Amino acid sequence: MMLKEIAKADKDPALLRQILAIAQSFHWSADATIQEWQSPYARLWIWDNAQDLVACCGGQILFEEANIHYFWVAPKHRGKGKGKVFLRALLDQFQENQVEKVNLEVRASNQAAIALYQALGFKIIDRRPNYYHDPAEDGWVMQLTIE
C-alpha cells in the first residue's frame, strides 16, 4: 500500500477533477473544497495504483488533532479490506505527526463505515440530527484517541 500526501503544488488537474467529484459525492461543493485546500491545515491523502485511484481522504491537521472531512474508497475496491489498510496507514501517519485525537462524521445509515471506524478504535461521541441531506438523516460524530 502506498499512502501519499498530496502537496498543494503537486495536485495535477486530472487528480483535482477526480477529487472534486469525490468531495461532491459527500455534498462538498467545488467552491468549498477549493477553499478548504487553501487552508494551511488542509491535507489530502491518496492511495493510487498504476493511475487507478484506490482511496482518498481529505481533512485537516490542527496541532494535536486531525479532522477527517471525507474518506472514500473506489467502489470496485470496497469490501476487500482496502479501506481498513488505508485508514490504518493514515492513523500511523497521524501518530508520527503527534496527533492525539482524530474526529470524523458519518451517516447514521452507513453501517459499513461505522463498523470500519469502530474496528480501528473510533467511538461515537455525539449525534447531529438531520446533519446530512439527500436523503436527510442524522450524522454520528466519531473520535479516536491515539495512545
Side-chain angles (χ1 to χ4, degrees):
M1 210 269 339
M2 182 63 169
L3 173 71
K4 292 191 259 184
E5 183 172 348
I6 304 299
K8 288 171 181 49
D10 295 339
K11 293 182 185 137
D12 68 67
L15 178 62
L16 281 175
R17 282 191 298 278
Q18 197 170 10
I19 299 300
L20 284 171
I22 291 164
Q24 286 176 335
S25 75
F26 287 90
H27 300 288
W28 278 68
S29 70
D31 289 342
T33 303
I34 291 167
Q35 184 177 4
E36 168 68 17
W37 285 341
Q38 293 171 351
S39 163
Y41 305 107
R43 301 288 189 272
L44 175 63
W45 301 272
I46 65 167
W47 174 8
D48 64 352
N49 185 3
Q51 305 300 340
D52 178 31
L53 188 61
V54 177
C56 74
C57 178
Q60 293 185 334
I61 296 179
L62 295 120
F63 309 106
E64 70 282 344
E65 193 163 298
N67 296 298
I68 294 175
H69 296 152
Y70 52 89
F71 182 86
W72 175 88
V73 177
K76 70 180 182 181
H77 294 292
R78 292 179 187 160
K80 300 175 183 175
K82 293 186 178 187
K84 191 172 198 176
V85 169
F86 184 57
L87 187 52
R88 274 197 179 131
L90 279 170
L91 295 175
D92 289 345
Q93 187 172 69
F94 291 162
Q95 190 168 26
E96 289 172 15
N97 285 301
Q98 317 293 308
V99 169
E100 298 171 7
K101 290 193 185 298
V102 183
N103 305 297
L104 59 84
E105 288 104 12
V106 61
R107 282 182 178 269
S109 65
N110 192 343
Q111 293 302 305
I114 292 167
L116 167 64
Y117 301 141
Q118 287 178 327
L120 292 175
F122 282 83
K123 307 280 186 228
I124 295 172
I125 61 166
D126 200 4
R127 178 178 146 257
R128 293 195 171 149
N130 298 311
Y131 184 71
Y132 292 97
H133 53 87
D134 296 327
E137 71 178 285
D138 294 351
W140 292 116
V141 179
M142 299 184 78
Q143 186 176 76
L144 171 71
T145 300
I146 298 177
E147 312 259 335

